[in-house]
Amino acid sequence: MVMDMTTGDPIKRILKFFLPVMLGNLLQQFYSMADSIIVSRYLGVDAFSGVSATGSLNFLILGFALGLCSGFAIPVSQEFGAGDYSAMRRCFANGIIMAAVIAAVMAVVTGLLSPQILRLMGTPENIFPYSLTYIRLIFFGIPATVLYNLLSGVLRAVGDGRTSLYMLLCSTVLNIILDLLFVVTFNMGIAGAAAATVLAQLVSGLLCMGMIYWKFDILHIQKDEWTANAKIMRRLLGIGVPMGLQFSVTAVGSTILQASVNSLGSQAVAAVGAGAKVQFVFTTPLEAVGVTMATYCGQNLGARRFDRVRVGVRRITLISFFYCIFAFAVQSFVGRWIALLFIDSSEVQILDMATHYLNIMVATSFLLAIVLIYRNSIQGLGFSRVAMFAGLMELVGRVFVALVLVKAMGFNGACFANPTAWLCADLFLLPVYFWSVKRLETQEAKDK
């Protein structure tokens, strides 16, 4: 069901859209955790470390693809908000064409270059075979990932967060079944875990495609709307590429940091990997808020309702801050127990390190909330190129930590990488958001 976010109480509309998106993100984290739990329990700590060591590289490459898909969905939301459904479908069609080509090229190039990239990152030799097998299969599966994220992004652009949630639920169940089947029953090792993830993504994408065909007449692209249009493609790329690069630039910092963590040994790699998995459980609602605000601001930009933009962003920021306080209180009691899903209780040192990392991440999550709310709002308002510089600020923060703090403080230094990056981005994003809204309001007044 589509949802018009340009009318009604802003916070009610935001929260109604947010809930299925959050549940969907939690499901994604759940099946990512299921991969890690099964790998850790059935293949051992080295295999788990091997998967963990690919996290930043995974984010570097897939982050670009996901950012691109999110960017391609924003013009769809803007045209939906403006009520021009033919233009909306033309944006959708051109997005499909470009996403297909880009996904195919990325899959081939990154899959072939995986060994060289892992070597550059200084991946420890005892976990290198696991890392290579896992990430190469994930990269060859990029088209499946792009398929789901593009279609689910378009569904959210027209205000529907539930359909992609239902499809993801089916995918999550399938992923867990395939994990157990491939890893435990067929003894496929780390390759089985990667194959399960790719197949689950493919199924969720195909299900979204089927639902668009059966349920969403508004998204049925007409024959004349399939025409490749250079102007529309430039518009899509003008938003999608900066968003993709923003993810990638952020991930470059994470990759440099991962190389520094790798130098501390496989125990540090496992601790950061486990701590990050638990952290994502608590920060996933913040990610969902960001996705919601991109759609909310995009639709209201199309409707020229900048008053609603201001009210919505202000209120959701306050709500997110209260959530961060709640999340820290909860993780103080259960965080260590969740970490035991990935780390055997006998690995006391790794468990202590993971808990320390988790405490710092969740305690500073309010900085992440600001990044996600304001960056996505700026992108929804059409200023993706400006928002991209927030990724550069994060890069500066992570590189500083990797080159200075990790060398000086070891593992403790690595724990402050993300908070430092978030703070750097916040100092840029807050003034840019207010500038963006003011500029749009001034232009609207001139046009009248």
Side-chain angles (χ1 to χ4, degrees), residues 27-157:
L27 282 174
Q28 285 185 312
Q29 291 303 325
F30 180 71
Y31 83 59
S32 175
M33 288 175 66
D35 270 348
S36 300
I37 292 168
I38 291 170
V39 167
S40 176
R41 295 300 177 186
Y42 290 97
L43 301 179
V45 69
D46 279 354
F48 174 70
S49 297
V51 174
S52 299
T54 66
S56 58
L57 178 57
N58 198 340
F59 182 41
L60 173 64
I61 304 302
L62 293 189
F64 177 80
L66 302 185
L68 197 72
C69 291
S70 298
F72 286 177
I74 285 177
V76 175
S77 71
Q78 292 171 347
E79 296 298 347
F80 176 79
D84 191 341
Y85 300 138
S86 179
M88 177 192 71
R89 289 190 293 269
R90 291 180 189 278
C91 289
F92 183 21
N94 281 265
I96 292 173
I97 294 169
M98 289 191 295
V101 174
I102 293 170
V105 172
M106 288 182 65
V108 173
V109 173
T110 57
L112 294 177
L113 294 180
S114 296
Q116 292 83 350
I117 300 172
L118 289 173
R119 292 291 183 195
L120 287 174
M121 292 175 60
T123 306
E125 285 300 323
N126 63 313
I127 63 175
F128 184 87
Y130 297 110
S131 298
L132 178 58
T133 300
Y134 184 82
I135 200 63
R136 176 172 271 169
L137 287 174
I138 293 294
F139 284 164
F140 282 140
I142 284 175
T145 302
V146 167
L147 175 66
Y148 168 73
N149 283 279
L150 177 64
L151 298 184
S152 63
V154 168
L155 287 171
R156 288 192 293 267

Side-chain angles (χ1 to χ4, degrees), residues 160-447:
D160 182 270
R162 294 184 180 181
T163 298
S164 54
L165 168 63
Y166 299 147
M167 302 306 100
L168 195 56
L169 177 59
C170 296
S171 176
T172 299
V173 174
L174 177 62
N175 183 71
I176 295 172
I177 293 172
L178 291 177
D179 264 332
L180 293 171
L181 188 66
F182 292 167
V183 176
V184 181
T185 304
F186 294 161
N187 295 314
M188 291 174 62
I190 206 75
T197 298
V198 172
L199 286 174
Q201 285 279 313
L202 177 61
V203 169
S204 61
L206 293 175
L207 288 172
C208 282
M209 184 186 300
M211 292 302 295
I212 288 174
Y213 177 77
W214 289 315
K215 299 285 188 179
F216 293 85
D217 292 344
I218 195 175
L219 291 173
H220 288 183
I221 302 171
Q222 305 303 310
K223 186 176 180 179
D224 64 306
E225 293 167 346
W226 273 111
T227 305
N229 185 295
K231 183 177 180 180
I232 294 176
M233 286 186 172
R234 284 196 298 270
R235 179 184 176 189
L236 292 170
L237 291 172
I239 298 176
V241 170
M243 288 184 69
L245 290 176
Q246 172 192 287
F247 277 95
S248 292
V249 168
T250 300
V252 167
S254 298
T255 304
I256 294 172
L257 177 65
Q258 183 68 58
S260 296
V261 174
N262 289 346
S263 70
L264 300 176
S266 58
Q267 282 192 328
V269 173
V272 171
K277 291 290 184 184
V278 182
Q279 172 215 331
F280 291 147
V281 173
F282 292 99
T283 57
T284 288
L286 302 179
E287 298 278 354
V289 166
V291 171
T292 300
M293 294 312 295
T295 299
Y296 176 81
C297 290
Q299 286 196 15
N300 281 284
L301 170 65
R304 319 308 289 176
R305 291 298 307 274
F306 304 119
D307 56 322
R308 292 178 60 82
V309 171
R310 287 186 179 274
V311 171
V313 170
R314 183 171 63 249
R315 291 181 182 176
I316 204 64
T317 300
L318 183 61
I319 291 172
S320 297
F321 280 7
F322 281 116
Y323 167 76
C324 291
I325 296 171
F326 169 77
F328 180 73
V330 172
Q331 77 83 27
S332 298
F333 290 101
V334 303
R336 188 179 183 91
W337 296 103
I338 300 176
L340 285 169
L341 293 172
F342 311 99
I343 303 171
D344 191 88
S345 58
S346 62
E347 301 282 359
V348 177
Q349 183 177 359
I350 298 178
L351 188 60
D352 287 343
M353 293 166 69
T355 304
H356 179 60
Y357 177 88
L358 175 63
N359 286 335
I360 293 174
M361 292 300 101
V362 182
T364 58
S365 60
F366 68 95
L367 297 173
L368 175 61
I370 295 174
V371 172
L372 294 171
I373 292 169
Y374 288 85
R375 183 178 66 196
N376 281 279
S377 295
I378 292 168
Q379 289 166 342
L381 292 172
F383 294 95
S384 292
R385 295 180 184 179
V386 178
M388 181 180 68
F389 287 98
L392 293 175
M393 298 299 290
E394 289 190 60
L395 172 62
V396 170
R398 288 194 176 92
V399 170
F400 169 76
V401 171
L403 299 181
V404 178
L405 292 188
V406 173
K407 290 184 178 180
M409 302 170 60
F411 182 76
N412 282 329
C415 292
F416 287 97
N418 285 329
T420 301
W422 298 335
L423 177 61
C424 290
D426 290 344
L427 294 175
F428 173 81
L429 287 169
L430 286 171
V432 167
Y433 162 74
F434 291 109
W435 169 82
S436 300
V437 177
K438 185 65 176 178
R439 179 176 176 179
L440 289 169
E441 289 175 334
T442 300
Q443 185 61 48
E444 179 72 4
K446 289 181 179 179
D447 292 342

